[in-house]
Structure formats: C-alpha cells, structure tokens
Amino acid sequence: MEEKKPKLDLNELKTRFPGTPEVYLEAIVENLEEKDWDVLNGVKDKLGFLNARKRLDLVGLSNYDLPGTIVGKYDSKGNKEEKKNAIDYFVLKSCVKELIGNYNEKGTFVVGGIAQNYLKAEGLQEEQGPETNKVKAENFKKRKAEAKKLYDNYKTTIDSIFNEKADLKSAKYLIDQLANENLENRDKSAQRIKEAYKAIPSEGILSGEVVAEVWKRDPSVDMSYSNIDIDGKELSEFYCCAFLGGCNSNAAPIYLRNGALSMLDFKAVEDGTEKRFVRAITGACIERKKDNSLGKTYMLVDSVEGSDRISDEIIFDAITSYAKSSGFDRIMFSNEAGNNKPNKFLDFVKRKKTKKGKARLQLLNTEGSDYLEAFNSWSFPAGETEGYVIDLRGDKK
Amino acid sequence: MNGPLEAMLNEDFQKGYLKYLEEGKTDEIIELREFSGIAPVIDEKTKEAVQKGYIRCLEENCIDKIPYLKAFSGIEPVIDEKLTYLIQEKYVASFEMGRISEADKLKRFTGVSPSEDAVQRGYVNLLGKGWVEYAAALKGFSGIAPSDESVQRGYAGCFELGLINGVEAWANIAVKIKKFSGISPSKKIVEGYSDAYKKFLGAQK
C-alpha cells in the first residue's frame, strides 16, 4: 500500500527560479516531494501565503518579519553604538576571571575561581583568616599573590580583553599562558576552562563584518541546506534537520509559508563570498493564560542553528534588538533544542544570567502543525514552553 | 484583550484538531483540549478527518487508538472499500502471527468480521509453520474451519521445513495438523515428500 513519492520537476524549478544555482534546485528535488511543492506554491507573496500580517498588527508586532531588514551590523573595530567585536569577549573575560581573578571596582585584587576551589578543597574560606589554620591560610595568600603577579605580568593584554579591544591571536596566547602557568593547572577547573576556551573556534571566529538580517522569505534561497551531498559535492549551511538534506526537510517550505515564523540570518564574507553562518528560528507567539485570556507577546527563539564562527554575544545582541524593534513584550529562548549549536548558545544565554521561566504560548498563526522544537516538533504550535526569558518592557507581572 | 485575534486563534485550534484527528494522534488531541479549553467542532471536515484517522491507525498498526478516536469525536468509522481492505489485511497480519487477541480487538473496535480469505491466509501461515495451537485459536475466534487447500499448503510448509530441520519432528507436527483439521495429506503432498510422509505414517501409530 506504500504510495510512490512523486518528485519535483527540475525544469519546472529552473523556470520558476531563473538564475538560482542548479545545485540548490537539485537539492530541492532531492529532498522535497510534490506535496511540499504544493505547500510552496501557496507562497503567493514574500510575506507568506499564510499571511500573519493582520494578526501581527493586532498585537503591535508590525515590524516583525519584514523580509530583508538588517537588524544589526557588527565589526571588529569596536564601535560602541551599533557595532560589536566579532570575538566572543564574554568567554575570554570569564576565562581570565576564572583562571587568575581580576581587580574589582575598589582596586582590590579578587582571586579567581581556581584559587577559590583550592580554599574549598582545604575546607577554608578567605574571610576565615589565619586563625583557622595558619599554614593553609599562608598557602592561600601565596597563591593569591602569585595570581596577582600573573595578572600584572599580562596586564596589557588583559586590559585589552576587558576593554574589548584585544585581537584574537594575543587573547588566545594569553589564555594558553594562563592555563599553563597557573599554579593550579592540575586542577580540574583549569582543564575545564581550557576546554571552554577551546570551544571558541581558535582561528574561525569571523573578525570581519557580521550582518544580522531577516531572511528574504524567498524559496530560491531560504529553504537552506542542512548538510547534503550532490554529485559528490558536500554542501552545508546550518546543520539543522529542518532544512534541505535534513530528516525534516519538509519543514522548510512550511516555514516559508507561515508568516508568524521568521528567520534571522547572520552573514559574513569569507574568501570573498558572502555566506550565511547562523540562523535563528523565531516565532511570534502570544501568551494564553489558564483562563484562556490572551497576555503578553513573546518572540520565541526556537533554536539558533549553524556554525560556532559567529560570536554568541553578537547573536544574542541581534536577537534582542530584533525582538525589541518588532515590538515584543518578551523573548523566550526555548530550551528544547536538540543540536549542539543551539545548546551551546543556550549555555551562553544562561551565562548572561537570564532568568529561567515558563509560559503558555500559542504561535500567532498556523495551518495546524508546524515544526517547532519548543512545541514538540511536528505539532500544533501551542503549549507550556520552558526556557530563558527576557522581559523587554521591564514589567515583571 | 483582543476580540478579533482571539476568534482567529480559537479557529486555529480547530485546524489543530483536524490535523491530529487525521493523523490519529489521540494523546495530542487530549493535550490540545486541555490547553485550549476549546472543544472540537464536529462538521463534515471533522468527519473526513476522523475517517482518515481510522485509516492511519490501521496503516500504522495503532488499533488501540481507534476507540479513543471514536469516543473523542463520536464518529463511527465508515466501512468503505479502503477501510475494508485495511481491516482485512490487518486481520491477516494478526492471524499469521497468531495474535488472536489483537484480531479480537479489531473486531470489537470496527464491528467488521474477518473474511473467509483472511482466515484461510492465516491458516496457511500458521499450519505451514507448525503453530497448530494458534490455528485452533483462530478457528475458535472465527468459527471458520481451514479449507482443504489451506491444510495441504500447511502440510507442504511443514514437510518443507522438515527437509531443513529434521523430518522426525515435523512429521509429529503434521500429525497434529491431521488431528486438528481431520484432513489427510493429498496425493501430491505424499508424492512430493515421500520420506517425510513415511515418518508421518510412523508417527501416527
């Protein structure tokens, strides 16, 4: 009884999307079925066939998902207003603080997490002082002095990190030195920090301009690749199952169709070509209270997919800007994502001391089933959602 | 807060129900009902969706969901050509593996009895594998005795397996088939499996 799955016609695609690289069209043919194409044929305009514009307007989200809008530009020159360095300073600063410590606002040197661990292991607290155990306290003092000395030795580079001016090469050298020279380098914490630092692609973080842009909602570019192999040529973009090549490829045309969903792409130039490196899958949701009344609007960040080569700081900043400019009350970073990249990004969101929270959410538009991990993947897009919540209006209610 | 929007969003829940009914997703239907507080509207579209749901349950071997679909929607399955085909195929699959309790559920949930053809196909597989006890259970459930053809094919299956796994044991099974069906191996079977048949005669004594 198994029905044969009809494939799409390559020539028809060529006619519909003139100028589109053939390899992309081949990927569509390879990964989608005719019924998915029927869905796509419903995309009558770039805002989506399932146009959510009226619904978005009704809740003050008129600026959400305006295709092609540039949300932010970030470069490595440290322009404070709109631009941020592409290096992940958040991680670098944490590494320095943890490895040796830093000076507080009063100018006192606060010893880092590793030395603190030493105290815990010895059953001491810094404030207990020499009365508790003179030898141990002396040892701690010694360690603190050595950490301070280490800090002072590398002061120039450390300052450049804290001022967000360091270049990646010298920052990398410094972290390596600190991890190696630290007296506690046999401590597990030192290893953990080294690992955390390694997680930043050592040469890969893009130091040029990064552009955060709302997708074009154009089928000829926006169904995107997961990781596919066409005639021996491997193509990969976001490593996410919901795009061409993934096991849920048929989500790709449905995303395009639903105007309550919007992708925020992060692009940079590499080897002279502009590429997309990261995509945040977002949705416009409204809170549905237990008494069935409607509450606040939430930008649901279902997941952040793609490579590690764009700084999480930039991604976080752009998502927040996008949500604010769209008019949302809150952001919900769903913690239901499955892939490595989204989970790494969620760790970053957690480190930003973002509050964990729950909300009963409903996507503002649907045909009955969407692929959103926050709502249990292929399901009706509504339910109690858990994740990290940012209140954009400062209203805690 | 927002009347027109509320109306639109409530309407979306009906789309959700339709999807879930079509897919036979009963747990999700219950969750949606709890979340939304809105009951499904039963109209022609719903009836179509429920019918698709019944088909899906049969196609995906989830017959336990059938009573839930029925209870939730209040809509009985329409026993059309497609559903009849699927129900009978499901019977065959159950019979062939001796899953009589599953077949019993299918009968209770759909109200459709197994066809003569489905029962005989069940016998062929059960007898051919030597599962005589299951064949007896099938007879008890269906009230249909195995046909001569089914029994002969059953003997053939047994003797064939005997050639691979040892004639003696399978001759004993053939004796059980004889006792159960009251039908002896045909001339064609006797000629085709003469060694096995001799053992069979010996085992009968």
Side-chain angles (χ1 to χ4, degrees), chain B residues 31-100:
Chain B
E31 276 173 26
L32 192 57
R33 178 78 175 82
E34 280 173 5
F35 179 82
S36 66
I38 294 166
V41 173
I42 305 295
D43 57 14
E44 279 309 307
K45 272 187 190 171
T46 323
K47 286 178 186 167
E48 275 174 36
V50 175
Q51 181 71 5
K52 282 182 186 169
Y54 287 129
I55 290 170
R56 186 70 83 94
C57 290
L58 287 161
E59 282 176 342
E60 294 182 355
N61 293 322
C62 305
I63 61 167
D64 286 335
K65 290 183 173 180
I66 291 175
Y68 288 99
L69 270 185
K70 227 191 252 191
F72 188 77
S73 65
I75 299 167
E76 291 285 330
V78 177
I79 311 298
D80 56 11
E81 201 181 330
K82 183 160 189 180
L83 215 56
T84 303
Y85 171 81
L86 288 169
I87 291 169
Q88 295 305 332
E89 285 301 304
K90 183 75 197 145
Y91 270 128
V92 172
S94 303
F95 294 155
E96 283 184 343
M97 299 310 291
R99 294 194 296 254
I100 304 302

Coordinates of all heavy atoms in Angstrom, one line a residue, chain B residues 31-100:
Chain B
E31 N -4.2 16.6 24.9 CA -3.4 17.7 25.3 C -3.9 19.0 24.8 O -4.0 20.0 25.5 CB -2.0 17.6 24.9 CG -1.1 16.7 25.8 CD 0.2 16.4 25.2 OE1 0.8 17.2 24.4 OE2 0.8 15.3 25.6
L32 N -4.3 19.0 23.5 CA -4.8 20.3 22.9 C -6.1 20.7 23.5 O -6.3 21.9 23.8 CB -5.0 20.0 21.4 CG -5.2 21.3 20.5 CD1 -4.1 22.3 20.7 CD2 -5.4 20.9 19.0
R33 N -6.9 19.8 23.9 CA -8.2 20.0 24.5 C -8.0 20.7 25.9 O -8.6 21.7 26.2 CB -9.0 18.7 24.7 CG -10.3 18.9 25.4 CD -11.4 19.5 24.4 NE -12.7 19.5 25.0 CZ -13.1 20.5 25.8 NH1 -12.3 21.4 26.2 NH2 -14.4 20.4 26.3
E34 N -7.0 20.1 26.6 CA -6.7 20.6 27.9 C -6.1 22.0 27.8 O -6.4 22.9 28.6 CB -5.7 19.7 28.6 CG -6.4 18.5 29.2 CD -5.4 17.5 29.8 OE1 -4.1 17.7 29.8 OE2 -5.8 16.4 30.2
F35 N -5.2 22.2 26.9 CA -4.5 23.5 26.8 C -5.5 24.6 26.3 O -5.5 25.7 26.9 CB -3.4 23.4 25.8 CG -2.6 24.7 25.6 CD1 -1.7 25.1 26.5 CD2 -3.0 25.6 24.5 CE1 -1.0 26.3 26.3 CE2 -2.3 26.8 24.3 CZ -1.3 27.1 25.3
S36 N -6.3 24.3 25.3 CA -7.1 25.4 24.7 C -8.4 25.6 25.5 O -9.0 26.7 25.5 CB -7.5 25.0 23.3 OG -8.3 23.8 23.3
G37 N -8.9 24.5 26.1 CA -10.2 24.7 26.8 C -11.3 24.8 25.8 O -12.5 25.1 26.1
I38 N -11.0 24.5 24.5 CA -12.0 24.6 23.4 C -12.3 23.2 22.8 O -11.4 22.5 22.5 CB -11.5 25.6 22.3 CG1 -11.3 27.0 22.9 CG2 -12.3 25.6 21.1 CD1 -10.5 27.9 22.1
A39 N -13.5 22.9 22.7 CA -13.9 21.6 22.2 C -13.9 21.6 20.6 O -14.0 22.7 20.0 CB -15.3 21.3 22.6
P40 N -13.7 20.5 20.0 CA -13.6 20.5 18.6 C -15.1 20.6 18.0 O -16.0 20.2 18.6 CB -13.1 19.1 18.2 CG -13.4 18.2 19.4 CD -13.4 19.2 20.6
V41 N -15.1 21.3 16.9 CA -16.4 21.4 16.2 C -16.6 20.2 15.3 O -15.7 19.8 14.6 CB -16.4 22.7 15.3 CG1 -17.7 22.8 14.5 CG2 -16.3 24.0 16.2
I42 N -17.7 19.5 15.4 CA -17.9 18.3 14.6 C -18.7 18.7 13.4 O -19.9 19.1 13.5 CB -18.7 17.2 15.4 CG1 -17.9 16.9 16.7 CG2 -18.9 16.0 14.5 CD1 -16.5 16.3 16.5
D43 N -18.1 18.7 12.2 CA -18.8 19.0 11.0 C -18.3 18.0 9.9 O -17.6 17.1 10.2 CB -18.6 20.5 10.6 CG -17.1 20.8 10.5 OD1 -16.3 19.9 10.4 OD2 -16.8 22.0 10.4
E44 N -18.6 18.3 8.7 CA -18.2 17.4 7.6 C -16.7 17.2 7.5 O -16.2 16.1 7.3 CB -18.7 17.9 6.2 CG -20.2 17.6 6.0 CD -20.5 16.1 6.2 OE1 -19.8 15.3 5.6 OE2 -21.5 15.8 7.0
K45 N -16.0 18.4 7.7 CA -14.5 18.3 7.7 C -14.0 17.4 8.8 O -13.0 16.6 8.6 CB -13.9 19.7 7.9 CG -13.7 20.5 6.7 CD -13.0 21.8 7.1 CE -13.0 22.8 6.0 NZ -12.4 24.1 6.4
T46 N -14.6 17.5 9.9 CA -14.2 16.6 11.1 C -14.4 15.2 10.7 O -13.6 14.3 11.0 CB -14.9 17.0 12.4 OG1 -15.1 18.4 12.4 CG2 -14.2 16.5 13.6
K47 N -15.6 14.9 10.1 CA -15.9 13.5 9.8 C -14.8 12.9 8.8 O -14.4 11.8 9.0 CB -17.3 13.4 9.2 CG -18.4 13.6 10.2 CD -19.8 13.5 9.6 CE -20.8 13.9 10.6 NZ -22.1 14.1 10.1
E48 N -14.5 13.8 7.9 CA -13.5 13.3 6.9 C -12.1 13.1 7.6 O -11.4 12.1 7.4 CB -13.2 14.4 5.8 CG -14.2 14.3 4.7 CD -14.0 15.5 3.8 OE1 -12.8 15.9 3.6 OE2 -15.0 16.0 3.2
A49 N -11.8 14.0 8.5 CA -10.5 13.8 9.3 C -10.5 12.6 10.1 O -9.5 11.9 10.2 CB -10.3 15.1 10.1
V50 N -11.6 12.3 10.8 CA -11.7 11.1 11.6 C -11.6 9.9 10.8 O -10.9 8.9 11.2 CB -13.0 11.1 12.5 CG1 -13.1 9.8 13.3 CG2 -13.1 12.3 13.4
Q51 N -12.2 9.9 9.7 CA -12.1 8.7 8.8 C -10.7 8.5 8.4 O -10.2 7.3 8.4 CB -13.0 8.9 7.5 CG -13.0 7.7 6.6 CD -13.7 6.5 7.1 OE1 -14.3 6.5 8.1 NE2 -13.7 5.4 6.3
K52 N -9.9 9.6 8.0 CA -8.5 9.5 7.7 C -7.7 8.9 8.9 O -6.8 8.2 8.8 CB -8.0 10.8 7.3 CG -8.3 11.2 5.9 CD -7.7 12.5 5.5 CE -8.2 13.0 4.2 NZ -7.8 14.4 3.9
G53 N -8.2 9.4 10.1 CA -7.5 8.9 11.3 C -7.7 7.4 11.5 O -6.7 6.8 11.9
Y54 N -8.9 6.9 11.2 CA -9.0 5.4 11.3 C -8.1 4.7 10.4 O -7.5 3.7 10.7 CB -10.5 5.1 11.0 CG -11.5 5.4 12.1 CD1 -12.6 6.2 11.8 CD2 -11.2 5.1 13.4 CE1 -13.5 6.5 12.8 CE2 -12.1 5.4 14.5 CZ -13.3 6.1 14.2 OH -14.1 6.5 15.1
I55 N -8.0 5.3 9.1 CA -7.1 4.7 8.1 C -5.7 4.7 8.7 O -5.0 3.7 8.6 CB -7.3 5.4 6.8 CG1 -8.6 5.1 6.2 CG2 -6.1 5.1 5.8 CD1 -9.0 6.0 5.0
R56 N -5.3 5.8 9.2 CA -3.9 6.0 9.7 C -3.6 4.9 10.8 O -2.6 4.3 10.9 CB -3.7 7.4 10.2 CG -2.3 7.7 10.6 CD -1.3 7.8 9.4 NE -1.3 9.0 8.8 CZ -0.5 10.1 9.1 NH1 0.4 9.9 9.9 NH2 -0.6 11.2 8.4
C57 N -4.6 4.8 11.7 CA -4.5 3.8 12.8 C -4.2 2.4 12.3 O -3.4 1.7 12.8 CB -5.7 3.8 13.7 SG -5.9 5.3 14.7
L58 N -4.9 2.1 11.2 CA -4.8 0.7 10.7 C -3.4 0.6 9.9 O -2.7 -0.4 10.1 CB -5.9 0.4 9.8 CG -7.2 0.1 10.5 CD1 -8.4 0.2 9.6 CD2 -7.2 -1.3 11.1
E59 N -3.1 1.7 9.2 CA -1.9 1.6 8.4 C -0.6 1.5 9.3 O 0.4 1.0 9.0 CB -1.8 2.9 7.5 CG -2.6 2.8 6.3 CD -2.6 4.0 5.4 OE1 -2.2 5.1 6.0 OE2 -3.0 4.0 4.3
E60 N -0.7 2.2 10.5 CA 0.4 2.3 11.4 C 0.3 1.3 12.5 O 1.1 1.5 13.5 CB 0.6 3.8 11.8 CG 1.0 4.7 10.7 CD 1.2 6.1 11.1 OE1 1.0 6.4 12.3 OE2 1.6 6.9 10.2
N61 N -0.6 0.4 12.4 CA -0.7 -0.6 13.5 C -0.9 0.0 14.9 O -0.3 -0.4 15.9 CB 0.6 -1.5 13.6 CG 0.7 -2.4 12.3 OD1 -0.3 -2.9 11.8 ND2 1.9 -2.5 11.9
C62 N -1.8 1.0 14.9 CA -2.1 1.6 16.2 C -3.6 1.4 16.5 O -4.3 2.4 16.7 CB -1.8 3.1 16.2 SG -0.1 3.4 15.8
I63 N -4.1 0.2 16.4 CA -5.5 0.0 16.5 C -6.1 0.3 17.9 O -7.3 0.6 18.0 CB -6.0 -1.5 16.1 CG1 -5.4 -2.5 17.0 CG2 -5.7 -1.7 14.7 CD1 -6.0 -3.9 16.9
D64 N -5.2 0.3 18.9 CA -5.7 0.7 20.3 C -6.2 2.2 20.3 O -6.9 2.6 21.2 CB -4.5 0.6 21.3 CG -4.3 -0.9 21.6 OD1 -5.3 -1.7 21.4 OD2 -3.2 -1.3 22.0
K65 N -5.8 2.9 19.3 CA -6.2 4.4 19.3 C -7.6 4.5 18.7 O -8.3 5.5 18.9 CB -5.2 5.2 18.5 CG -3.9 5.4 19.2 CD -3.0 6.3 18.4 CE -1.7 6.6 19.2 NZ -0.8 7.4 18.4
I66 N -8.1 3.5 18.1 CA -9.4 3.6 17.4 C -10.5 3.9 18.4 O -11.3 4.9 18.1 CB -9.7 2.3 16.6 CG1 -8.8 2.2 15.4 CG2 -11.2 2.2 16.2 CD1 -8.9 0.9 14.6
P67 N -10.7 3.2 19.5 CA -11.7 3.6 20.4 C -11.6 5.0 21.0 O -12.6 5.7 21.2 CB -11.6 2.6 21.6 CG -10.4 1.9 21.4 CD -9.9 2.0 20.0
Y68 N -10.4 5.5 21.1 CA -10.2 6.9 21.6 C -10.7 7.9 20.6 O -11.4 8.9 20.9 CB -8.7 7.2 21.9 CG -8.2 6.5 23.1 CD1 -7.5 5.3 23.1 CD2 -8.5 7.0 24.4 CE1 -7.1 4.7 24.2 CE2 -8.1 6.4 25.6 CZ -7.3 5.2 25.5 OH -6.9 4.6 26.6
L69 N -10.4 7.6 19.3 CA -10.8 8.5 18.2 C -12.4 8.5 18.2 O -13.0 9.6 18.1 CB -10.4 8.0 16.9 CG -9.0 8.4 16.3 CD1 -8.8 7.9 14.9 CD2 -9.0 10.0 16.3
K70 N -12.9 7.3 18.4 CA -14.4 7.2 18.4 C -15.0 8.0 19.5 O -15.9 8.7 19.3 CB -14.7 5.7 18.5 CG -15.7 5.2 17.5 CD -16.2 3.8 17.9 CE -15.6 2.8 17.0 NZ -16.2 1.4 17.2
A71 N -14.4 7.8 20.7 CA -15.0 8.4 21.9 C -14.9 9.9 21.8 O -15.8 10.7 22.2 CB -14.3 7.9 23.1
F72 N -13.7 10.4 21.3 CA -13.5 11.8 21.3 C -14.4 12.5 20.3 O -14.9 13.6 20.5 CB -12.0 12.1 20.9 CG -11.6 13.5 21.1 CD1 -11.4 14.0 22.3 CD2 -11.5 14.3 20.0 CE1 -11.0 15.4 22.5 CE2 -11.1 15.6 20.1 CZ -10.9 16.2 21.4
S73 N -14.6 11.9 19.1 CA -15.3 12.5 18.1 C -16.8 12.1 18.0 O -17.6 12.8 17.5 CB -14.7 12.2 16.7 OG -14.8 10.8 16.4
G74 N -17.1 11.0 18.6 CA -18.4 10.4 18.5 C -18.8 10.0 17.1 O -19.9 9.8 16.7
I75 N -17.7 9.8 16.2 CA -17.9 9.5 14.8 C -17.5 8.0 14.6 O -16.3 7.7 14.9 CB -17.2 10.4 13.9 CG1 -17.7 11.8 14.1 CG2 -17.3 10.0 12.4 CD1 -16.8 12.9 13.4
E76 N -18.4 7.2 14.1 CA -18.1 5.8 13.8 C -17.3 5.7 12.5 O -17.5 6.5 11.6 CB -19.4 5.0 13.6 CG -20.1 4.8 14.9 CD -19.5 3.8 15.8 OE1 -18.9 2.8 15.3 OE2 -19.7 3.9 17.1
P77 N -16.4 4.7 12.3 CA -15.7 4.6 11.0 C -16.7 4.2 9.9 O -17.6 3.4 10.2 CB -14.7 3.4 11.3 CG -15.2 2.7 12.5 CD -16.0 3.7 13.3
V78 N -16.5 4.8 8.8 CA -17.3 4.4 7.6 C -16.6 3.2 6.9 O -15.5 3.4 6.5 CB -17.5 5.6 6.6 CG1 -18.3 5.2 5.4 CG2 -18.1 6.8 7.3
I79 N -17.3 2.1 6.9 CA -16.6 0.9 6.3 C -16.7 0.9 4.8 O -17.5 0.2 4.2 CB -17.1 -0.4 6.9 CG1 -17.2 -0.3 8.5 CG2 -16.3 -1.6 6.5 CD1 -15.9 -0.1 9.2
D80 N -15.8 1.7 4.2 CA -15.8 1.8 2.7 C -14.8 0.8 2.2 O -14.2 0.0 2.9 CB -15.5 3.2 2.3 CG -14.2 3.7 2.8 OD1 -13.4 2.9 3.4 OD2 -13.9 4.9 2.7
E81 N -14.5 0.9 0.9 CA -13.6 -0.1 0.3 C -12.2 -0.1 0.9 O -11.7 -1.1 1.2 CB -13.6 0.2 -1.3 CG -13.1 -1.0 -2.1 CD -13.0 -0.6 -3.6 OE1 -13.8 0.3 -4.0 OE2 -12.2 -1.1 -4.3
K82 N -11.7 1.1 1.1 CA -10.3 1.2 1.6 C -10.2 0.7 3.0 O -9.3 -0.1 3.3 CB -9.9 2.7 1.5 CG -8.5 2.9 2.0 CD -7.9 4.2 1.5 CE -6.4 4.2 1.8 NZ -5.7 5.4 1.5
L83 N -11.2 1.1 3.8 CA -11.1 0.6 5.2 C -11.3 -0.9 5.3 O -10.6 -1.6 6.1 CB -12.2 1.3 6.0 CG -11.8 1.6 7.5 CD1 -10.6 2.5 7.6 CD2 -13.0 2.4 8.2
T84 N -12.2 -1.4 4.4 CA -12.4 -2.9 4.4 C -11.1 -3.6 4.1 O -10.7 -4.5 4.7 CB -13.5 -3.2 3.4 OG1 -14.7 -2.5 3.7 CG2 -13.8 -4.7 3.4
Y85 N -10.5 -3.1 3.0 CA -9.2 -3.7 2.6 C -8.2 -3.7 3.8 O -7.6 -4.7 4.1 CB -8.6 -2.9 1.4 CG -7.2 -3.3 1.0 CD1 -7.0 -4.5 0.3 CD2 -6.1 -2.6 1.5 CE1 -5.7 -4.9 0.0 CE2 -4.8 -2.9 1.1 CZ -4.6 -4.1 0.4 OH -3.4 -4.5 0.1
L86 N -8.1 -2.5 4.4 CA -7.1 -2.4 5.5 C -7.4 -3.3 6.7 O -6.5 -3.9 7.3 CB -7.0 -0.9 6.0 CG -6.3 0.0 5.0 CD1 -6.5 1.5 5.4 CD2 -4.8 -0.3 4.9
I87 N -8.7 -3.3 7.0 CA -9.1 -4.2 8.2 C -8.8 -5.6 7.9 O -8.2 -6.3 8.7 CB -10.6 -4.0 8.5 CG1 -10.9 -2.6 9.0 CG2 -11.1 -5.0 9.5 CD1 -12.3 -2.2 9.1
Q88 N -9.1 -6.1 6.7 CA -8.8 -7.5 6.3 C -7.3 -7.8 6.3 O -6.9 -8.8 6.8 CB -9.5 -7.9 5.0 CG -11.0 -7.8 5.0 CD -11.7 -8.7 6.1 OE1 -11.1 -9.7 6.5 NE2 -12.8 -8.3 6.6
E89 N -6.6 -6.8 5.8 CA -5.1 -7.0 5.8 C -4.6 -7.1 7.2 O -3.6 -7.8 7.5 CB -4.4 -5.9 5.0 CG -4.5 -6.0 3.5 CD -4.0 -7.3 2.9 OE1 -2.8 -7.6 3.2 OE2 -4.8 -8.0 2.3
K90 N -5.2 -6.3 8.0 CA -4.8 -6.3 9.5 C -5.1 -7.6 10.1 O -4.3 -8.1 10.9 CB -5.5 -5.1 10.2 CG -5.1 -4.9 11.6 CD -3.7 -4.3 11.7 CE -3.2 -4.5 13.1 NZ -1.8 -4.7 13.2
Y91 N -6.3 -8.1 9.7 CA -6.6 -9.5 10.2 C -5.6 -10.5 9.8 O -5.1 -11.3 10.6 CB -8.0 -9.9 9.7 CG -9.2 -9.5 10.6 CD1 -10.3 -8.8 10.0 CD2 -9.2 -9.8 11.9 CE1 -11.4 -8.4 10.8 CE2 -10.3 -9.4 12.7 CZ -11.4 -8.7 12.2 OH -12.4 -8.4 13.0
V92 N -5.3 -10.4 8.5 CA -4.3 -11.4 8.0 C -3.0 -11.3 8.8 O -2.4 -12.3 9.3 CB -4.0 -11.2 6.5 CG1 -2.9 -12.1 6.0 CG2 -5.3 -11.4 5.7
A93 N -2.5 -10.1 9.0 CA -1.3 -9.9 9.7 C -1.4 -10.5 11.1 O -0.4 -11.1 11.6 CB -0.9 -8.4 9.8
S94 N -2.5 -10.2 11.8 CA -2.7 -10.8 13.1 C -2.8 -12.3 13.1 O -2.1 -12.9 14.0 CB -4.0 -10.2 13.8 OG -4.0 -8.8 13.7
F95 N -3.6 -12.8 12.2 CA -3.7 -14.3 12.2 C -2.4 -15.0 11.9 O -2.1 -16.0 12.5 CB -4.8 -14.7 11.1 CG -6.2 -14.2 11.4 CD1 -7.1 -14.0 10.3 CD2 -6.6 -14.0 12.7 CE1 -8.4 -13.6 10.6 CE2 -7.9 -13.6 12.9 CZ -8.8 -13.4 11.9
E96 N -1.7 -14.4 10.9 CA -0.4 -15.1 10.5 C 0.6 -15.2 11.7 O 1.4 -16.1 11.7 CB 0.2 -14.3 9.3 CG -0.5 -14.6 8.0 CD 0.2 -13.9 6.8 OE1 1.0 -13.0 7.0 OE2 -0.1 -14.3 5.7
M97 N 0.5 -14.3 12.6 CA 1.4 -14.3 13.7 C 0.7 -14.9 15.0 O 1.3 -14.9 16.1 CB 1.9 -12.9 14.1 CG 2.7 -12.3 12.9 SD 4.0 -13.4 12.3 CE 5.1 -13.4 13.7
G98 N -0.5 -15.4 14.8 CA -1.2 -16.0 15.9 C -1.7 -15.0 17.0 O -2.0 -15.3 18.1
R99 N -1.8 -13.7 16.6 CA -2.2 -12.7 17.6 C -3.7 -12.6 17.5 O -4.3 -11.6 17.0 CB -1.5 -11.3 17.2 CG 0.0 -11.4 17.4 CD 0.5 -10.0 17.4 NE 0.3 -9.3 16.2 CZ 1.3 -9.1 15.3 NH1 2.5 -9.5 15.5 NH2 1.0 -8.4 14.1
I100 N -4.4 -13.5 18.2 CA -5.8 -13.6 18.1 C -6.5 -12.5 19.0 O -7.5 -12.0 18.6 CB -6.3 -15.0 18.6 CG1 -5.6 -16.1 17.7 CG2 -7.8 -15.1 18.5 CD1 -5.8 -16.0 16.2

